[in-house]
Amino acid sequence: MGNTIKLTVILAILCTFAISSGSFAQQPAEGTAPDAAASTEAAAPVEAQPAAPPVEIKLPTDLFAGDLPNDDGSGVYLKWSVVPGESAETNYVIYLAESPDGPWAEALTQPADAVFMEDHGKYFPGFFWFGKNGREKQVHVAIIQNVPTGEYDKIGRQIHIPQPAGFTVKPNLGPKDDAGEPIDPDVIDVKTGLPKITPILADIQPRKIGTMYIKFTAVRDGVTAIAPEIFQVDAKEQWFTTSKLNAFIFAILFGTTILLFIARARRDPNLFIRRIAGLNAVDEAIGRATEMGKPILYINGLAGLGDLSTLAALNILGRVAGRVANYESSLTVPCRDPIVLTVAQEIVKSAYTDAGRPDAHNPDSVFFLTDDQFSYSAAVAGLMLRDKPAANFFMGFYYAESLILAETGASTGAIQIAGTDAMTQLPFFITTCDYTLIGEELYAASAYLSREPLILGSLKGQDMAKVFMMIVILIGTVLVTFGITFVKDLFTQLG
Amino acid sequence: MEAKQHATFVELFLKLDRRIIYTLVVLAVAVPLLIPIGLPINVTPEVQSIYDKIESLPEGSNILLAADFDPASQPELYPMLMAVMEHIVRKKHKLLIVVLWINGPNLVAQAIDELRKEYPDWKSGEDYAFLGFQVGGTIVIMSMGNDISKTFPKDHYGNATSPMPIIRNFNKLKDTDYMVMLEAGNSGDWWIVYGTEKFNIPVGAGVTAVIAPQYYPYLQAGQINGIIGGLRGAAEYEKLIGKPGKATSAMDSQSAVHALIFFAIILANIFAMILVVQKRRKAREAK
Amino acid sequence: MQFLKKKFPVLLAFVLGMVMFIREFVPAKIAQSLYEGFVNWSLVITGFAAVFAIISLLHYHVAKVRKKVPGYGFSVLTLVAYTQILLLGLVLGKDIGTPTAWQYQFVFVPMQATMFATLAFFIASAAFRAFRARTWEALALLVAGLIVMIGRVPIGEAILPKLGFLAEWIMNNPNMAASRGVTLGVALAQIAISVRIIFGIERTYMGGGD
């Protein structure tokens, strides 16, 4: 039966290979450049050319301006439907002013065929089950943030101001001081030799633009068409990113599931957890080291305390240190990160105290080596070759030095147990270590070793979440195959 | 007697001293360097797309280069850095270089010095600015989103950045037309999450071979437009710019080592199977 | 005292954990300022922790030298190297031309590159020792590994042009599927451990057990 399943899996992989190689073989035909429009110039006739027809620019009729959603109050936006027959050579130029009478400053220029609303899921998420996440199709959007975006330097000095017909532009959209007056760009700090920067300037990054007035124009071949309406927009900051609504809901859902199973574990502490060979071998490794009279080497990985795998490794260190204390063996914990060092020192000391062996604790057993990656691995390799520990634990996050550490340890004949969620280093540990905890097994180790019902309960909750994800992936894959993207859209990151 | 000697050879081979393996590796690396073979290098689509992107940008485009590696990754990423920078210089783009790894700046300075010998008209402050290292990781990237000259008030050489002509049009992350990140670790994730995704900047990644697999999901998702993976990727890029360098010369050695390991593994497995067969035969004969 | 040692850290972990979780969904400026503030705090704490780390380093090596344990010569070397580069850097600076820069360029850089280069030897010996097809699954893994290994170098493509495509297919398909599966599992496990830490169920990182 087992062989049948294996053969079936191999056949399935080969079929997938055949299908995908077929699709690879069907290389899309290289796009051929459209024939260049015949632009041969006829010989200039003797008589005068007729006058070129006047440039006609169609303006959109459904312009809408509003506060940019899901931002920190520094943005506004303008949207309009694609104008039928609009030329790709048209540029839409948007002007901003602090009063409806101006003066106006150019805020943004974008070509007519660029920037559609559906490209900005972060700001305009819509609802998941309306086609392309509910965003309107064929709608242009102009997003204006952190004005001034005109030709100013960072303290508002005028470099160049465009002067379109009918507008008078002045550099009043720049940083202001406490009294609201533009900061004098000629004030120089004598110490630095640079223009003086006040706290107000620093605080305006990103600049909250408050109430703004927007004017919309279209420009082509030197002709400008100006939309008659002037829009007033109040830019406000939002307190919730709707584009992350699905992530928020699922985070709450998963967190609640885990907490529910933890609560359930209080009532029913007998929870089954499958055997993890690497963790079963911890006692064996410590016992072996004790018999041989050799130390145990424990490495917390090379990441800092901000990395969850380091926290998981420190959790395991606490359990291992407790057992080492019971076995009266010796532990060596070289650290790479200063903060991990202080935490590890406290954990090992407490573990010995809790085991009733505070006198056996050697404070020098947990020490700092260096924070440089390969210097650290060279130092640890030297430790292994000189001290010849009988058991090596590699728990946490590793980079390229994983193979150096593990292979050196293997050469000394030590029993090695590794656990990491660093995908690229797993092959090296699997090849060189006796036992390897892959990915989430590292995070489950604390529960496995302690057998505390509450922590075991969280493992159950995690497993339920995984079952849910597997069902969703299966259903979603089948539906997408038939063109139904509802489930896929539900889980799509919106920006 | 003959069967026993054969078995002994098989067992000897399977327990081959690692020092013999190390010696063979040394020979596999050294001999092709001394006697180059010149195997052809095919350019992969992932590398081609980064080249094409830089090639297609109009002259004077703003390119941000993040050189986040240290001396350990120098053999792989330094040739990549040289090839990509030279391409950018030839295309006359504006280049800003930043480093988020503390041991990286001197390597970049060295690369710039080499390049300036060949392109003496390439001017700091006008055509490029090497902003150096700044501590903070993701905070640096977020701060660059607001104001690059405020994040790096001085460049690597101690010159103030705000008066630089290049900064005038290239002072925020969103002014970037294209970004190339050369990564030896996880800082590439920071750039993608806090930088390029936020400002919709197209980005290409040059990475060491060992972490290249973790960037393929980004490539498939369209978050990066190409990957220059390891020494092979660097050699491909050198071929594209028509200037074979250190990476190309190392390709023969890499091929030789890979072939050595390939045949060693196959032979080891064949001999292991022979040993199993012989043991079973002995067991049958013993019965 | 008990409150400060036992309960206050748990309370702090809860409050800050929830704040950072909520911050992720809040676009207002205060959220970014909060994050920047926390990162600045962590940089300051790391700076102070670095002082403890250096004390630990010096103490460890000085103790080895004093007790003259086997191999104490390496500790002497470490202490000499540490002291001289610190003093030279403080007195003469680190610009190009100084002894510090010289040591960086001609000692540190080659040594770092050498350590990385030793991986080539270790990969060869590890692969030779461990890549044995004892089961069908191991055989499949071995074949895939060999194809990728030889397909990604010029010699592979010179022998068989399709090897390169095959290696890419293996990287983009089975490898991607497996790595995504592991990544998904890791992500869920990280949620679980985060929930445990935030709600004070997991407290081993504090030291002192329950």
Side-chain angles (χ1 to χ4, degrees), chain A residues 20 241 372 407 423 446 458, chain C residues 25 112 125 169 179 196 202 208:
Chain A
S20 61
T241 310
D372 181 73
E407 183 66 6
M423 296 275 293
S446 177
S458 78
Chain C
F25 302 97
Q112 282 241 318
S125 65
W169 182 88
S179 67
R196 294 203 304 257
E202 184 90 62

Side-chain angles (χ1 to χ4, degrees), chain A residues 3 6 13 16-17 20-21 24 70-72 205-206 208 237-241 244 247-248 251-252 254-255 258-259 262 308 311-312 314-315 318-319 338-339 341-343 345-347 350 354 364 366-369 372 374-375 377-378 383 386 400 403-404 407-408 410 421 423 426 428 431-432 438-440 443 446 452 454-455 458-459 462 465-466 469 473, chain C residues 5 21-22 24-30 32 42 45-46 49-54 56-57 59-61 63-64 67 70-71 74 108 111-112 115-116 118-119 122-123 125-127 129-131 136-137 165-166 169 172-175 178-186 188-197 199 201-210:
Chain A
N3 285 334
K6 285 173 192 167
I13 292 170
T16 317
F17 166 64
S20 61
S21 66
F24 264 107
N70 299 320
D71 76 329
D72 55 5
Q205 300 281 4
K208 284 199 170 63
E237 61 183 354
Q238 276 72 47
W239 292 93
F240 185 79
T241 310
K244 290 186 183 176
F248 182 75
I252 297 290
F254 290 147
I258 289 165
L259 287 171
I262 289 172
L308 280 170
L311 279 171
L314 287 168
N315 285 337
R319 314 282 176 205
I339 297 182
L341 165 75
T342 49
V343 174
Q345 283 174 335
E346 191 57 40
I347 285 175
S350 302
D354 290 343
D364 290 336
V366 184
F367 54 94
F368 176 79
L369 276 179
D372 181 73
F374 283 102
S375 310
S377 55
L383 264 173
R386 286 190 301 273
L403 184 62
I404 296 174
E407 183 66 6
T408 307
D421 61 353
M423 296 275 293
L426 278 171
F428 302 128
T431 313
T432 49
I438 299 174
E440 60 193 303
Y443 296 97
S446 177
E452 282 176 28
L454 298 188
I455 304 179
S458 78
L459 275 190
Q462 179 187 322
K466 212 189 293 184
M469 291 307 302
I473 288 170
Chain C
K5 215 173 168 195
F21 168 67
I22 291 165
E24 194 57 39
F25 302 97
V26 175
K29 183 74 171 87
I30 189 171
Q32 188 177 328
S42 76
I45 292 169
T46 306
V51 173
F52 288 117
I54 291 166
S56 162
L57 172 79
H59 176 77
Y60 174 73
H61 288 290
K64 285 184 88 173
K67 290 176 197 167
F74 295 109
F108 182 68
M111 284 164 74
Q112 282 241 318
M115 284 302 299
F116 201 45
T118 56
L119 281 173
F122 289 142
I123 282 174
S125 65
R129 196 183 67 244
F131 280 7
W136 285 108
E137 290 90 350
F165 159 73
L166 202 54
W169 182 88
N172 287 333
N173 293 284
N175 169 65
S179 67
R180 280 187 177 150
V182 176
T183 304
L184 194 63
V186 165
L188 289 171
Q190 287 181 338
I191 294 174
I193 197 171
S194 302
V195 166
R196 294 203 304 257
I197 290 171
F199 287 93
I201 295 160
E202 184 90 62
R203 276 172 285 177
T204 324
Y205 65 89
M206 268 169 40
D210 296 325

